[in-house]
Amino acid sequence: MPYVTRGGEPMEVKGDVPAVGQKAPPFTLTNTDLKDVTLENFAGQRKVLNIIPSVDTPTCAVSTRRFNELASGLPDTVVLVVSADLPFAAKRFCGAEGLDDVETLSTFRHPEFREAWGVAFHGNVMEGLCARAVVVLDADNTVLHSELVAEVKQEPDYDAALAALN
């Protein structure tokens, strides 16, 4: 199993982040209206999945703001911020921050997402949360870019994620 660090401390992560060139695994997640959505809900769009532990942490908040800023200039692209946060918390955060160009989705009813997408913390204090990762999909759900961020407190490589869309 892969490891990431949190403040330098190794943290085991269960599963494998989808690799470039493969089809994305299906998912069901919960949106801010408490409705379940699937990957098919975003058919025909390119997708940037910004997978984070919680919008209530500084780095996650920064990456959500940054992807919101970047999303406004991306044609036919949706940015999905995926976390274990309750939909109420994600909606509150985006409302307070004025973030209109990202869609927040929760794993709270769908913990299987974490392992299927290779972001399941396992056997450590972060268990139940998602490790930080960015996965970019084309309109047909083929993985164009995949990054499991090595240190949870670091931001993802925004430039690499955006380059995959060009």
Side-chain angles (χ1 to χ4, degrees), residues 45-62:
Q45 294 179 289
R46 301 180 309 167
K47 292 152 276 294
V48 177
L49 283 83
N50 179 36
I51 304 168
I52 60 174
S54 172
V55 293
D56 284 327
T57 64
T59 306
C60 297
V62 167

Side-chain angles (χ1 to χ4, degrees), residues 29-30 48 50 64 66 69 80 98 104 106 120 122-123 127 145 148 158 165:
L29 296 164
T30 305
V48 177
N50 179 36
T64 300
R66 182 72 175 128
E69 175 187 317
L80 307 173
T104 57
S106 178
H122 179 71
E127 191 156 348
H145 169 78
L148 177 63
Y158 304 108
L165 293 169

Side-chain angles (χ1 to χ4, degrees), residues 16-162:
D16 294 306
V17 176
V20 171
Q22 80 177 68
K23 285 291 187 183
F27 67 68
T28 300
L29 296 164
T30 305
N31 69 15
T32 57
D33 293 325
L34 298 177
K35 294 181 180 167
D36 286 347
V37 296
T38 67
L39 192 54
E40 289 76 36
N41 286 93
F42 307 100
Q45 294 179 289
R46 301 180 309 167
K47 292 152 276 294
V48 177
L49 283 83
N50 179 36
I51 304 168
I52 60 174
S54 172
V55 293
D56 284 327
T57 64
T59 306
C60 297
V62 167
S63 72
T64 300
R65 285 185 206 107
R66 182 72 175 128
F67 274 117
N68 182 77
E69 175 187 317
L70 296 169
S72 64
L74 300 174
D76 303 317
T77 304
V78 61
V79 176
L80 307 173
V81 178
V82 179
S83 73
D85 289 312
L86 291 176
F88 314 111
K91 187 174 187 173
R92 174 193 42 79
F93 174 81
C94 288
E97 297 282 333
L99 306 181
D100 298 324
D101 292 321
V102 296
E103 182 164 344
T104 57
L105 301 173
S106 178
T107 65
F108 90 107
R109 287 195 298 226
H110 306 285
E112 69 281 353
F113 172 89
R114 294 190 295 269
E115 194 168 330
W117 283 72
V119 295
F121 279 114
H122 179 71
N124 55 62
V125 299
M126 299 287 281
E127 191 156 348
L129 299 176
C130 298
R132 184 177 315 289
V134 174
V135 180
V136 178
L137 309 176
D138 69 10
D140 296 319
N141 298 326
T142 300
V143 178
L144 302 174
H145 169 78
S146 181
E147 176 190 13
L148 177 63
V149 179
E151 166 59 51
V152 176
K153 295 181 179 183
Q154 290 180 346
E155 293 176 57
D157 186 342
Y158 304 108
D159 292 336
L162 289 179

